[in-house]
Amino acid sequence: GAVVSQHPSWVICKSGTSVKIECRSLDFQATTMFWYRQFPKQSLMLMATSNEGSKATYEQGVEKDKFLINHASLTLSTLTVTSAHPEDSSFYICSALRGGGNQPQHFGDGTRLSIL
Amino acid sequence: DAKTTQPNSMESNEEEPVHLPCNHSTISGTDYIHWYRQLPSQGPEYVIHGLTSNVNNRMASLAIAEDRKSSTLILHRATLRDAAVYYCILVSNSGYALNFGKGTSLLVTP
C-alpha cells in the first residue's frame, strides 16, 4: 500500500536552531501534501497545505516565515522550523494525498521535536 | 465544514466486536465519511471511507445510516493492537484537508 516516510523521527536541539523535516511519498506521486501539528493530549491541527511547484497555503495563525514549506517534487515536501523555541516543541506529522480530494490521506510516522 | 460528534472513549474486551458511533447531522450530499485511527506516538492510519453504501475492507466495516446523518465503524474482533484514537471525519469532494476532532479513545482489555 501507499507509504509515506517522514524523517527524522526525533529531534532535540537548542533554542534558536532551525530544524528541517522531510516527508516523502515512497511509491506514489503526491501533488498535495499536508503538515499537521499535535500537542500532547490534543488532536491534530492542520498547519499548511503544500502543493508541488507552488507556494504553500497556511492556516490562520500559522506564521509562514516561521514554518517554511518547500514542495519541490512530486514525492518530497519539507518543513523547516526556523529559529525554533521551546513553544515550538510538538509532534509534527505530514500526509500525502494520492488521487482526488476525497481519497484517503497517507500519513508519515511523525517527528517529535523538542527544543531546549 | 460539517462537524462530527463521537464519544470521548469506549472500552471493549479482546476478541469481541466493537461498534464506534459517529454523528454528522449536517453532512452535505457530497461529503465522504472517512475513518482514521492513531496509535500512541504514531501518525494517523487510514481505516475506511464511504459515501452512501456500507463498506468492508480487511480492517473494518463501515455502516452508514440511510439518511447519512450517522455512521458506525465496526471492528469485528478487537485485538490489543486496535487500542487507538479513532477519528470520524467528513471530507468534501472539493476540499482536501482533514479536520480532526477529538475522536474516540478505544481501550481494549484482555
Side-chain angles (χ1 to χ4, degrees):
Chain A
V3 178
V4 172
S5 173
Q6 190 171 338
H7 178 82
S9 300
W10 285 84
V11 180
I12 302 174
C13 58
K14 294 181 179 179
S15 184
T17 305
S18 292
V19 178
K20 180 185 281 189
I21 302 170
E22 293 188 349
C23 180
R24 294 180 184 272
S25 56
L26 297 184
D27 57 351
F28 66 100
Q29 293 183 331
T31 55
T32 304
M33 290 185 174
F34 303 90
W35 288 96
Y36 296 84
R37 181 169 53 183
Q38 186 175 32
F39 292 106
K41 299 192 183 299
Q42 295 187 22
S43 190
L44 282 79
M45 295 296 297
L46 179 67
M47 298 177 66
T49 301
S50 168
N51 291 297
E52 186 265 339
S54 63
K55 291 184 177 180
T57 302
Y58 291 82
E59 295 299 299
Q60 191 173 6
V62 178
E63 300 175 55
K64 62 180 180 180
D65 295 330
K66 173 78 171 177
F67 300 98
L68 302 179
I69 292 173
N70 186 298
H71 193 159
S73 77
L74 288 172
T75 60
L76 174 65
S77 177
T78 61
L79 168 68
T80 301
V81 183
T82 61
S83 186
H85 292 284
E87 59 265 28
D88 298 322
S89 298
S90 188
F91 191 46
Y92 292 86
I93 308 167
C94 72
S95 72
L97 183 63
R98 181 182 193 177
N102 57 54
Q103 292 302 304
Q105 288 188 22
H106 303 278
F107 287 82
D109 284 336
T111 298
R112 180 77 58 191
L113 177 61
S114 296
I115 307 299
L116 306 177
Chain B
D1 290 339
K3 301 295 184 186
T4 63
T5 304
Q6 299 178 253
N8 289 334
S9 63
M10 291 186 65
E11 189 170 339
S12 173
N13 293 322
E14 197 176 10
E15 297 189 6
E16 288 188 356
V18 181
H19 291 234
L20 298 165
C22 181
N23 288 321
H24 28 78
S25 59
T26 60
I27 190 171
S28 75
T30 57
D31 285 342
Y32 283 74
I33 302 160
H34 283 229
W35 284 81
Y36 291 80
R37 70 180 186 181
Q38 186 178 24
L39 279 66
S41 299
Q42 294 186 27
E45 174 186 28
Y46 165 76
V47 178
I48 200 166
H49 79 287
L51 183 62
T52 57
S53 302
N54 294 344
V55 185
N56 300 295
N57 66 21
R58 64 176 179 82
M59 290 182 68
S61 295
L62 176 60
I64 301 173
E66 195 170 336
D67 63 5
R68 298 207 331 124
K69 293 185 176 182
S70 65
S71 61
T72 302
L73 179 71
I74 303 167
L75 306 179
H76 295 287
R77 288 180 70 233
T79 70
L80 297 178
R81 288 176 295 179
D82 291 323
V85 179
Y86 286 78
Y87 297 96
C88 168
I89 304 172
L90 300 183
V91 180
S92 72
N93 203 34
S94 58
Y96 299 153
L98 298 179
N99 182 8
F100 285 85
K102 295 184 178 180
T104 296
S105 179
L106 176 65
L107 175 66
V108 181
T109 54

